[in-house]
Amino acid sequence: MVLRLLRALRFPIGAAAAPAHRIALRSWAACGLRGGRTTMAVQECAKPEMESQRLGELAAAAAGEESGGSGGLSSETRQLQQHTDGWHREERKKKQRKKQKKELSSLDDSIRCLMMEMPFAKADIETEFGDNCTLKSHVKRKRTTVMENEGENLIKKKKKKQDRPNYFISLPITNPKIMRDIKALQDSIIKKDCRLSKAMIRYGSFHVTLLVIYLSSEEAIDKAIGAFLESKDLIEELLQEKPLDLSFQGIDHFRNQVLFVKLGESDHEATLIKIAEIVKKIFKEKGILTGDETTLKPHLTFMKLSKSPKLRKQGVKRIDPALYENFSSHYFGDELLNRLDLCSMIKKKQANGYYHCESSITVGKSHEADVVKEALHKELLALLSTLNQIKALLSSPEIRMKMYKELLVKGLTNSSTWEGHPGAASPVS
């Protein structure tokens, strides 16, 4: 019976010897932190190790005796041994877990003791390092704010790209002299550099842009048309039936990328800017997106490199001022304001080259009407002059006598009709 018991204890005791030794060392190290209790901890931790070694030696001796007395183990003995081994393994694991917990708790106690000896053990961390904590939190908030701002900027950029202006308020150029002179200027530039022909504004499209807007749908277009028509009365009130004559002379550019004919600086230019502000204000009240808030500089564009991106690949990055130096101070003509148009930038242009027009308003005096009126007046003066000449001839006695003789010869009149008439002569006998 003793042999069986020793045989059952042989494996768990031998297997537990090495881990017990290591655990004893760790326990000794942990206990060493406590200072004066080091010797007692080593003695207590070494006792299990000595007992396990003695039991292991006894078990080994018993196993040797049994193996010498019998040839082998029976099946019942093997099953009992396996069952006992499994139970001991579970018990060993439980003991190891308990010891680990004790070791950790002892380490925690030692660390607390060491921390209590430090000069800042009783200090309030928030009080001592409040500024640093605040600074770190401020940095975190700042980083978060920067990230949020970057996200908002990306959204704004996407929205800005989506809400790119696609309609504009146009003052069309209708004076034939202005259009002819601009065409001559364009031809002169093309002769010097034929590549720039693709950068020219098409004949018939000449205009002055007063305002750019973004319209996202047909409903928005209808709203813009209504707002545009509402501006007519306010513009008429501003003009007070006075003609707005715009003079175009000289050439200027935007960063050598866009060429335009300059509008003469005068009170009329200021009035034109006020008209643009009136339309812009009404559009904003209706919730229609308008262009940027920069001050309007009215100009008549006739050339821009952005019309043909291929020019940059061909080496054309700027417009040489020498190409238009002969027209730098040229007088192109005057345009009388009489019409404003709401035009589309993307829809197909009209047959005459002008933009697709959604709506128009007539303001001021019509240039065409003035031309027609002047032509009629000249014709009327010519007719009145001719009529006065006819009256003078008929009042002459010689002319009247000739007329009488011609009528008498033809027998188309009665001689008695002419008797007593002061201009009539006596009949020929």
Side-chain angles (χ1 to χ4, degrees), residues 274-286:
K274 289 180 181 178
I275 291 173
E277 291 175 352
I278 288 173
V279 180
K280 186 174 184 178
K281 181 179 179 182
I282 294 178
F283 279 175
K284 282 191 173 182
E285 290 175 353
K286 300 293 183 180

Side-chain angles (χ1 to χ4, degrees), residues 121-407:
K122 298 182 180 181
D124 189 348
I125 295 176
E126 293 183 357
T127 304
E128 296 292 333
F129 301 97
D131 295 338
N132 293 335
C133 295
T134 305
L135 180 60
K136 289 181 180 179
S137 62
H138 177 69
V139 171
K140 289 182 180 179
R141 285 197 299 270
K142 187 174 181 180
R143 290 177 180 175
T144 306
T145 306
V146 170
M147 294 177 66
E148 290 176 354
N149 291 338
E150 289 178 355
E152 291 177 358
N153 291 335
L154 290 175
I155 294 172
K156 287 180 180 179
K157 286 181 180 179
K158 290 181 180 180
K159 188 176 181 181
K160 187 176 181 181
K161 191 174 182 180
Q162 293 174 354
D163 299 347
R164 197 172 184 177
N166 54 359
Y167 281 81
F168 65 101
I169 303 300
S170 168
L171 189 164
I173 301 300
T174 59
N175 187 346
K177 181 184 184 311
I178 298 177
M179 293 190 289
R180 285 196 305 266
D181 288 4
I182 291 178
K183 186 66 171 63
L185 169 60
Q186 290 176 332
D187 293 340
S188 175
I189 294 174
I190 293 172
K191 284 181 181 179
K192 296 176 182 178
D193 191 344
C194 61
R195 297 174 299 175
L196 298 177
S197 60
K198 297 179 180 179
M200 298 300 175
I201 302 298
R202 183 179 175 182
Y203 185 86
S205 299
F206 302 136
H207 68 281
V208 176
T209 300
L210 300 184
L211 182 68
V212 293
I213 57 176
Y214 171 72
L215 303 177
S216 59
S217 61
E218 292 297 327
E219 182 180 356
I221 294 173
D222 294 338
K223 186 190 295 185
I225 292 173
F228 184 49
L229 295 177
E230 285 183 18
S231 66
K232 176 180 171 62
D233 295 337
L234 295 175
I235 295 173
E236 291 285 4
E237 183 180 349
L238 175 66
L239 295 175
Q240 296 180 353
E241 298 184 356
K242 295 179 181 179
L244 187 63
D245 197 3
L246 305 173
S247 179
F248 293 91
Q249 183 174 6
I251 300 174
D252 203 350
H253 63 88
F254 293 132
R255 295 180 298 178
N256 289 314
Q257 302 290 316
V258 178
L259 290 184
F260 58 88
V261 180
K262 294 190 296 183
L263 182 63
E265 296 181 0
S266 63
D267 295 338
H268 291 174
E269 181 185 10
T271 304
L272 186 62
I273 294 174
K274 289 180 181 178
I275 291 173
E277 291 175 352
I278 288 173
V279 180
K280 186 174 184 178
K281 181 179 179 182
I282 294 178
F283 279 175
K284 282 191 173 182
E285 290 175 353
K286 300 293 183 180
I288 298 172
L289 296 177
T290 58
D292 53 22
E293 300 295 332
T294 57
T295 304
L296 173 66
K297 183 179 180 181
H299 59 278
L300 201 173
T301 303
F302 65 89
M303 177 182 177
K304 53 184 178 180
L305 296 181
S306 60
K307 279 183 62 66
S308 179
K310 293 182 180 179
L311 290 174
R312 180 172 289 274
K313 296 180 180 179
Q314 297 175 2
V316 182
K317 298 181 180 180
R318 61 187 296 273
I319 304 172
D320 188 357
L323 297 174
Y324 55 87
E325 59 183 358
N326 295 334
F327 290 82
S328 58
S329 59
H330 179 76
Y331 170 71
F332 290 86
D334 293 352
E335 179 70 31
L336 187 65
L337 174 64
N338 71 300
R339 194 184 86 210
L340 295 176
D341 300 326
L342 173 60
C343 298
S344 171
M345 297 180 184
I346 56 178
K347 291 185 179 180
K348 186 177 180 180
K349 291 185 177 181
Q350 301 178 28
N352 61 357
Y354 191 62
Y355 297 88
H356 174 83
C357 186
E358 297 287 351
S359 180
S360 300
I361 57 174
T362 303
V363 294
K365 293 184 178 180
S366 173
H367 179 72
E368 291 82 357
D370 290 343
V371 172
V372 172
K373 187 183 292 185
E374 184 177 357
L376 291 174
H377 181 65
K378 290 180 179 179
E379 292 292 333
L380 182 59
L381 290 176
L383 290 174
L384 289 174
S385 177
T386 303
L387 182 59
N388 289 331
Q389 292 176 4
I390 293 172
K391 286 182 178 180
L393 289 173
L394 290 175
S395 63
S396 172
E398 292 80 6
I399 299 298
R400 291 179 65 86
M401 180 55 70
K402 288 180 181 181
M403 292 174 63
Y404 169 73
K405 288 181 178 181
E406 290 177 0
L407 292 173

